[in-house]
Amino acid sequence: MVEHPRAARRYHHGNLRVALIDTAVDQARAGGAEAVVLRDAARRTGVSHNAAYRHFADRDDLLAEVSARGMAELERRMRDRLDELPGAGQGEPTARLRAVGREYVHFALAEPGLFATAFACARPEEGAAGEGAYGVLSGVLDELVATGVLPAERRPGADVTCWAGVHGFAVLCLQGPLRDLPEQQREEQLDGLLDRLARGL
């Protein structure tokens, strides 16, 4: 396997735990969740595996941190995309819903290894309300209810419907029959999906 350009880093000083997570994120980017190996992360960071085990109980402990990093990156990208749009109640009412859905798919295509690893341990119910990528989606749906675009009685379960739609599309593009689709056609299919989700709500 070809190592990520940032792999094989050497640890010199500072927070070893963070350095190990950084290295494991590189592993995930290169090969997904299966590539996250604690002993190898220690070797690439330039420390003994015994030193690594002082910070992580086992490989699953490290994987959970990488998963959290992936979800945080997804959340950051979704929020950045929203920041480029008018605030709630301005412009096309469902533009913000479409924006977070589009950014979700674009993140998956740009970072397939980290995207897959993000869901290795992540659970949407974890964390405070409004936080995380799932919280971003929920917030946008709440905005649609507040502005009268989405009837309140249709709000329950809308998160799962939207999440399943864009996640399924992303997986089809990464691993399924849409993986060889030219970019323009893929974006057209994504536009259609987001339109249908918005209209269905």
Side-chain angles (χ1 to χ4, degrees), residues 30-43:
E34 295 78 11
V36 177
V37 179
L38 184 54
R39 282 177 174 259
D40 186 51
R43 179 186 62 80

Side-chain angles (χ1 to χ4, degrees), residues 23-97:
T23 301
V25 168
D26 290 341
Q27 291 176 321
R29 282 193 161 108
E34 295 78 11
V36 177
V37 179
L38 184 54
R39 282 177 174 259
D40 186 51
R43 179 186 62 80
R44 295 188 188 198
T45 307
V47 299
S48 70
H49 64 269
N50 286 333
Y53 279 105
R54 294 190 191 103
H55 295 274
F56 299 97
D58 51 27
R59 182 255 185 185
D60 288 343
D61 192 16
L62 177 62
L63 182 63
E65 293 294 334
V66 178
S67 173
R69 280 276 192 96
M71 292 301 292
E73 176 65 11
L74 173 58
E75 177 189 2
R76 183 190 66 78
R77 293 189 184 208
M78 292 168 73
R79 291 191 187 280
D80 286 349
R81 185 70 185 92
L82 286 177
D83 287 343
E84 298 172 2
L85 298 176
Q90 302 178 36
E92 211 289 311
T94 60
R96 291 169 63 80
L97 179 64

Side-chain angles (χ1 to χ4, degrees), residues 121-139:
C121 306
R123 291 175 176 83
E125 67 273 14
E126 291 180 348
E131 293 183 355
Y134 198 79
V136 176
L137 170 61
S138 294

